Amino acid sequence: MSDASDTPRPVEDAAHLAGVPDEFQRLWTPHRMAYIQAGPDPLVEECPFCAAPEKSDADGLIVARGRTAFVLLNLFPYNSGHLLVCPYRHIATYDLATAEEVAEIGALTQTAMRVLREVSRCDGFNLGMNQGAVAGAGVAGHLHQHVVPRWATDANFFPIIAKTKALPQLLGDVREAVATAWPRG
């Protein structure tokens, strides 16, 4: 005689399955665990914008290198394609940049906008520099300009209610698309 527990029962409805939908929406972002586990200490020990140019473009998330400045993806993007334009020199504020650095940061920013418009078909941009911790700079010691692509439909309830951004593309995929579209000088 067979035991009834050995016979699989047909599932009658999904309510009896693990992972039943409930009122909570979950965004699975396992790639962020590396940053959570590292904590703030790596930023204190080493400037990420000084370290990035020493890595391969893929490992440093770099999409373009100039003479005095370079462009890389933000590790903590507001939107997919969020780029940062940084001088190679470790300077904290815009007024410390040389005329050559200012010109190249501006030119790289313009190119970044053109490339992002082509690659992502964005509707607009937010550009900005937060200088100093009090102004919201996450890396206050190294000047960087944000180039954030925006779409008419990119705002939803997540940032307002849950302080969460839904990013539809992985950083590596975005870096590859932007780097491939970047004009070769």
Side-chain angles (χ1 to χ4, degrees):
M1 181 162 170
S2 112
D3 185 347
S5 64
D6 293 339
T7 307
R9 285 188 353 194
V11 176
E12 294 183 24
D13 66 61
H16 295 93
L17 296 175
V20 173
D22 55 23
E23 69 274 6
F24 296 104
Q25 297 297 314
R26 291 163 181 86
L27 296 176
W28 301 103
T29 57
H31 63 282
R32 307 272 303 174
M33 187 52 73
Y35 310 113
I36 293 168
Q37 290 174 336
D41 291 339
L43 292 179
V44 173
E45 295 169 13
E46 183 176 29
C47 172
F49 302 139
C50 289
E54 302 299 320
K55 299 176 182 178
S56 71
D57 287 355
D59 289 342
L61 297 175
I62 295 173
V63 299
R65 295 176 187 253
R67 261 185 30 74
T68 65
F70 64 102
V71 181
L72 74 164
L73 284 174
N74 190 332
L75 281 174
F76 306 101
Y78 298 125
N79 277 337
S80 291
H82 180 168
L83 299 176
L84 302 171
V85 183
C86 304
Y88 290 110
R89 283 191 320 128
H90 187 86
I91 56 173
T93 57
Y94 194 61
D95 59 323
L96 299 175
T98 66
E100 185 180 9
E101 288 168 330
V102 168
E104 188 162 42
I105 289 168
L108 289 170
T109 298
Q110 288 180 323
T111 302
M113 292 171 66
R114 291 179 189 116
V115 169
L116 287 171
R117 198 175 288 117
E118 174 190 330
V119 168
S120 68
R121 297 185 184 2
C122 58
D123 300 315
F125 298 92
N126 289 119
L127 301 177
M129 294 183 186
N130 300 330
Q131 297 181 38
V134 70
V139 180
H142 198 127
L143 177 68
H144 56 284
Q145 175 158 274
H146 295 260
V147 181
V148 182
R150 298 299 305 268
W151 295 265
T153 58
D154 74 3
N156 59 38
F157 70 93
F158 277 142
I160 297 163
I161 304 297
K163 297 189 183 214
T164 302
K165 285 294 288 188
L167 301 167
Q169 295 177 293
L170 296 174
L171 289 175
D173 295 342
V174 174
R175 194 213 70 80
E176 182 64 30
V178 174
T180 299
W182 199 273
R184 304 295 172 230

